[in-house]
Amino acid sequence: MTATTFGAAFAAAASAQPDSYFTVFSEVRPSRERLADIHAAGQRLGSRMIQAGIVPGDRIAVMLPNWREWLVCAVACAHAGAVILPVVTIYGAKELGFILRQSGARWLFTPNHWRGVDYAAVVAECGELPELERHVSLGATFDRMEGERAVLPAVTTAPDDLAMLVYTSGTTADPKGVKHSHRSLLAELAVQQATRGHVEHEVVLSPWPPGHVAGALSMLRFLVNAVPVVAMDQWDPAAAARLIEEHRVTSSSGTPFHLSGIIEAGDRDGRNLSSLVSYLVGAAPVPSALVERSIAQGIAGYHCYGPSEHPTVTSGTADDPLDKQLHTEGRVMAGSELRFVDDDGHDVPPGAEGEIATRGPELFVGYYDEALNAAAFLPGGWYRTGDIGRLDDDGYLLITDRKKDIIIRGGENISSKEVEELLLNLPQVAEVAVVAAKDERMGEVVHAVIVPRPGQALTLDAIRSHFAAAGIAKQKTPERLTLTEALPRNATGKILKHLLRDRVA
């Protein structure tokens, strides 16, 4: 019988394949551990949660890199019936405070110090957190909690219960809480496994931080499908190429930035990358030249499409024709559906471009802020993605534009509105518009187009200092700046950002 909840799925995988390994490449917390041992540690930590009063549905925030402790926390949440809330480790007090307050998270797990960040100080800067009862930093307390031997019976959960709450930045200034059930996430993992799990002796290299849905799914795939994973807590292309050679990695995924780094490092260092037969490229616009380079290396690099709300809507495969690998997002995944609609939600003619609406078993169950749901869904449960596209004659998806006003920097979604609001706090700024600028390394970067106040000067250094003082994640800081006398507008005064994108290009 197929498991229908995380707790049952984790237990089944640990029993069937106890010796599958999770390997962490890290300068701080390297590890290599069996699935069975990670599962047992999670059951012990989950028992401590139950003893401390955690009840089904409570949110447990996990602000950790892709270390083995993240997996332990995931198993513990399932054991206690709690909801895992992955949080991006680079978030500052503004983002973290909003997430903790809105979600009502009762516990928070973080490193003690990592990459120069004192996490106790970040939490202190968040201000009032009325629902947060415990902040557990990795160290003696965590070790004691997962080390106590007594294991209580697992709390019973149902397939449609909330299993994960993940926050994603989109078109609004504040992150949006995306709710996934056991059913939706297990369906996503099942379709991933059916599509990508055909390689014999599969080993996955994951560079994704688990605060994002892609990284969380890589971690959960180990727990549910027992697929051996080699995880990196910091990106180092030379180390990635070495790990592929050393562990005979068969598949990986990442942004164009990750794939190009692997290929360049492999060439430079003479690494044998022949085991890497497939590479799923997503989360940022993919240059055709990069896919061509990967294919020349014997790596089938293909695209996928999906937001946090519906993680994999379409995907290419290693067997797709070259032109499809180069220029499309693949075909619709089994069980998912696509529609293309106009601004009023009506279907456009076949073959015409329209906003992509999706439906399927992997679709999220709604936003934590329920006020966002009315605009997000069409009748019949269709999710409006905000992306524009069409199907070609062979059923492959082409993404042609984005309604969402976001910048995708190295896989990170950055709200232009949030950046604009922060820039308007500078006394030198009269008007501002933020757009995505193409970047060979990161895919896109933040480009600020600013109308300065009369007699005022402004530099990127001043902007960097302003953002640092505001406690904002570094990747949101503008990396390019254009000063102008006026912003282009239409007759109603709306800024014409498509003209700005053309101008900065």
Side-chain angles (χ1 to χ4, degrees):
M1 179 178 177
T2 302
T4 57
T5 65
F6 273 156
F10 296 166
S15 175
Q17 300 186 65
D19 294 327
S20 182
Y21 275 92
F22 183 80
T23 305
V24 178
F25 173 78
S26 170
E27 295 182 358
V28 179
R29 299 182 77 88
S31 65
R32 180 170 169 80
E33 192 163 349
R34 297 166 64 244
L35 174 56
D37 296 330
I38 289 173
H39 184 255
Q43 289 180 306
R44 297 193 296 269
L45 178 60
S47 298
R48 307 293 81 75
M49 289 181 177
I50 295 169
Q51 288 175 330
I54 294 297
V55 299
D58 281 346
R59 277 75 64 204
I60 305 296
V62 182
M63 194 179 188
L64 294 173
N66 47 6
W67 297 339
R68 50 87 60 188
E69 288 84 2
W70 194 99
L71 296 169
V72 171
C73 289
V75 175
C77 288
H79 192 79
V83 178
I84 186 168
L85 167 55
V87 182
V88 179
T89 55
I90 59 174
Y91 273 176
K94 178 179 180 291
E95 297 103 334
L96 176 61
F98 173 84
I99 290 170
L100 293 176
R101 278 188 289 274
Q102 188 188 77
S103 68
R106 290 187 62 186
W107 286 22
L108 168 66
F109 290 92
T110 72
N112 186 354
H113 294 82
W114 187 56
R115 301 183 70 176
V117 176
D118 180 340
Y119 283 87
V122 173
V123 174
E125 291 171 8
C126 289
E128 291 295 321
L129 300 170
E131 303 297 325
L132 188 66
E133 298 174 359
R134 182 174 294 188
H135 173 205
V136 181
S137 297
L138 298 191
T141 301
F142 185 93
D143 294 344
R144 175 182 55 77
M145 292 173 68
E146 75 157 288
E148 291 184 18
R149 308 307 301 179
V151 174
L152 300 177
V155 172
T156 300
T157 53
D160 292 318
D161 287 345
L162 187 61
M164 185 170 77
L165 176 64
V166 60
Y167 277 77
T168 177
S169 295
T171 58
T172 57
D174 289 323
K176 294 182 291 186
V178 175
K179 299 192 297 184
H180 274 287
S181 66
H182 296 266
R183 189 188 302 277
S184 68
L185 289 175
L186 288 172
E188 167 66 22
L189 292 166
V191 78
Q192 280 192 16
Q193 191 67 6
T195 304
R196 303 166 199 163
H198 61 280
V199 178
E200 189 175 359
H201 307 303
E202 184 181 20
V203 179
V204 174
L205 175 71
S206 177
W208 297 102
H212 297 288
V213 72
L217 286 168
S218 292
M219 305 289 270
L220 293 171
R221 193 174 177 212
F222 171 75
L223 293 174
V224 171
N225 301 124
V227 176
V229 171
V230 180
M232 304 180 70
D233 67 355
Q234 294 190 62
W235 177 243
D236 180 338
R242 178 179 62 79
L243 291 168
I244 290 168
E245 180 181 61
E246 179 181 327
H247 294 275
R248 303 300 295 162
V249 169
T250 61
S251 62
S252 187
S253 60
T255 68
F257 168 64
H258 295 113
L259 178 55
S260 62
I262 289 171
I263 293 173
E264 290 166 5
D267 287 343
R268 183 188 65 241
D269 300 336
R271 296 295 182 187
N272 180 0
L273 305 181
S274 61
S275 64
L276 185 63
V277 295
S278 66
Y279 200 98
L280 185 66
V281 191
V286 184
S288 296
L290 176 57
V291 179
E292 292 170 340
R293 287 176 63 199
S294 68
I295 292 171
Q297 292 274 345
I299 304 168
Y302 49 88
H303 306 190
C304 70
Y305 167 73
S308 298
E309 291 85 346
H310 193 156
T312 311
V313 180
T314 68
S315 177
T317 71
D319 299 325
D320 284 338
L322 177 59
D323 67 314
K324 304 301 185 185
Q325 292 185 22
L326 289 174
H327 303 300
T328 79
E329 309 303 315
R331 287 183 284 196
V332 181
M333 302 291 276
S336 289
E337 300 174 85
L338 284 183
R339 288 172 62 196
F340 301 90
V341 300
D342 59 22
D343 289 342
D344 296 322
H346 301 134
D347 290 326
V348 300
E353 293 182 1
E355 181 183 359
I356 300 168
T358 73
R359 189 167 66 176
E362 306 89 8
L363 187 64
F364 78 133
V365 296
Y367 291 112
Y368 196 78
D369 179 358
E370 295 184 356
L372 300 173
N373 289 333
F377 290 96
L378 293 169
W382 291 90
Y383 169 62
R384 303 187 71 152
T385 66
D387 296 312
I388 305 298
R390 63 180 177 84
L391 293 180
D392 70 10
D393 292 339
D394 300 311
Y396 287 80
L397 177 65
L398 299 165
I399 302 292
T400 57
D401 203 351
R402 289 202 304 268
K403 290 180 71 173
K404 292 182 177 180
D405 195 10
I406 58 175
I407 297 103
I408 305 178
R409 181 189 184 277
E412 295 273 351
N413 280 7
I414 299 170
S415 163
S416 64
K417 180 180 178 183
E418 180 182 18
V419 177
E420 287 164 354
E421 289 175 349
L422 287 163
L423 287 169
L424 285 170
N425 290 331
L426 282 165
Q428 301 98 319
V429 176
E431 294 182 283
V432 61
V434 168
V435 295
K438 299 296 183 183
D439 182 80
E440 184 175 346
R441 181 168 175 266
M442 302 306 299
E444 294 178 348
V445 294
V446 178
H447 191 130
V449 183
I450 291 175
V451 178
R453 295 188 182 280
Q456 296 290 323
L458 191 63
T459 65
L460 276 175
D461 284 340
I463 290 172
R464 292 187 190 104
S465 298
H466 174 65
F467 274 63
I472 301 301
K474 289 183 180 179
Q475 82 273 14
K476 298 180 182 179
T477 305
E479 296 177 63
R480 298 181 191 172
L481 172 65
T482 296
L483 301 181
T484 186
E485 293 182 357
L487 298 173
R489 300 176 185 273
N490 64 12
T492 63
K494 182 179 179 180
I495 296 173
L496 301 174
K497 285 199 170 183
H498 67 282
L499 296 182
L500 290 178
R501 294 187 186 99
D502 291 342
R503 185 185 300 177
V504 303

